[in-house]
Every structure is written in structure tokens, then in C-alpha cells.
Amino acid sequence: MLHESNLEKDINITDTDITFETILQEKYIPQKYIGDIKKANVLIIPNEGFRDNEGYFFPECTSEFYMFLKNHEEIETEICIDNDEFQKIELHADIIYVATLIVQYEVLPVVTSVIASYLYDKINSMNKEKKDSNASVHIIVEKNGKSKKIDYEGSIDNFEEAMKTLEQTIFK
């Protein structure tokens, strides 16, 4: 289902069975950090497989993104992989790829603003204009045991506005 807005070409919303509870049962979850992971309302989760490679992968800027999220006290963020199993994908493109997140619905507005700030900081450090830069962002939002996956592929300039248009209506 596409979200109905003037930015609908940038956003795709689908139902998903992925929840915080199902994530906890994934084999990539480091059991030694399970207590911290259970307390989090934002989890960074890996993508499975990449091209012909098996395993779990994160976009190249994930460590930097994780630290950016950890600096915001309004959200409890954890990454769902053990340090020695962390593998990153380096895609040399003009698109900023953000690691896949699962978030509790209550913190979605904060997370949206934090991601927008991260994207703005990232393009500023690259001396680019936000209207000329693109992002790929995937967020799974859980509310009352039901989840929706938001896939955003579009201009960094439009990201925050596009996300704000769906925050109140995503579960209606």
C-alpha cells in the first residue's frame, strides 16, 4: 500500500510479521546482551544476505548511526549483533543507506527527527545539498503487537516531511 500524499512515490508501507518479540528469537541476537536489547524501544537489525554472500550485513555508516542514536536520551537504542559478527556493506553510491530499524510506535516521531538530523549532518559533512541527495531508510514500526514496514527511497530534503505525513495515520 502506498501512503497517500504528494510524496507517495518515495514511501511504501506494508504489513509485516516482524515484531520486537520475533526479533528476540533470531539467531543473530547476541544472548549476552539480551537484557539491554529487551529494554530498547529502537533496535538496529541486520539485513540477511547480500548478493551472493550469506550472513548478516549492515550499511557502511551503521556504527556512526548507532552512536548518533545513542546520544539521544529520548530513545533506548541497541544493535542486534555481536561485535565479532558485525559485517558492513560498502556501497559507493550517492545514496545514504541507513540501517534497518524496528521502533515502538510511541517513539516514531523522535526517531524520525533524529534520522533527519543524521541525514542532514551526513550530507553537510560531504558538502552536498540535501535537495540533491537521496536516502534509503527502512523502519519497522510496532504498535500493540502489529507491525508496518516503511520503506523510504527518495530525497533527503523530503524525508522528514514524508515521515510526518504518515506518523499519525500509519495504523489507521
Side-chain angles (χ1 to χ4, degrees):
M1 161 179 96
L2 288 176
H3 182 70
E4 295 177 15
S5 76
N6 60 340
L7 303 168
E8 71 180 40
K9 66 180 174 46
D10 294 340
I11 296 179
N12 186 39
I13 302 171
T14 54
D15 292 327
T16 182
D17 293 335
I18 300 170
T19 64
F20 278 80
E21 190 172 316
T22 63
I23 291 292
L24 292 175
Q25 296 170 27
E26 291 290 340
K27 59 186 171 186
Y28 55 77
I29 295 292
Q31 293 304 306
K32 62 185 173 184
Y33 301 121
I34 197 74
D36 291 334
I37 291 171
K38 284 181 176 180
K39 292 178 194 171
N41 55 17
V42 176
L43 296 175
I44 299 173
I45 59 175
N47 297 311
E48 190 169 355
F50 178 69
R51 297 186 180 147
D52 292 334
N53 299 312
E54 291 185 21
Y56 302 102
F57 299 88
F58 294 88
E60 64 185 304
C61 297
T62 301
S63 297
E64 172 187 335
F65 179 58
Y66 173 66
M67 295 311 296
F68 195 88
L69 291 171
K70 290 293 272 185
N71 286 329
H72 291 81
E73 294 177 7
E74 308 88 2
I75 54 178
E76 280 292 323
T77 305
E78 289 300 329
I79 191 164
C80 294
I81 201 85
D82 206 343
N83 288 341
D84 57 346
E85 293 182 32
F86 183 88
Q87 296 183 70
K88 64 181 176 179
I89 303 168
E90 293 188 24
L91 299 172
H92 302 287
D94 287 336
I95 298 173
I96 298 175
Y97 292 92
V98 176
T100 302
L101 301 175
I102 181 167
V103 305
Q104 292 291 339
Y105 174 73
E106 296 78 25
V107 296
L108 181 61
V110 174
V111 171
T112 296
S113 293
V114 171
I115 293 171
S117 294
Y118 171 78
L119 292 170
Y120 296 154
D121 287 357
K122 188 80 175 152
I123 59 167
N124 283 338
S125 72
M126 299 164 67
N127 293 319
K128 293 187 175 187
E129 294 292 322
K130 61 184 177 181
K131 66 181 171 61
D132 299 327
S133 302
N134 291 313
S136 176
V137 181
H138 307 283
I139 304 171
I140 298 164
V141 183
E142 182 181 342
K143 180 180 181 184
N144 299 327
K146 299 209 184 271
S147 295
K148 302 274 186 177
K149 184 174 186 205
I150 304 165
D151 296 307
Y152 179 85
E153 304 275 342
S155 168
I156 290 173
D157 199 29
N158 294 336
F159 173 76
E160 193 165 19
E161 178 187 348
M163 292 299 292
K164 288 192 183 300
T165 64
L166 66 84
E167 286 172 358
Q168 299 301 316
T169 61
I170 189 169
F171 283 97
K172 290 188 181 182

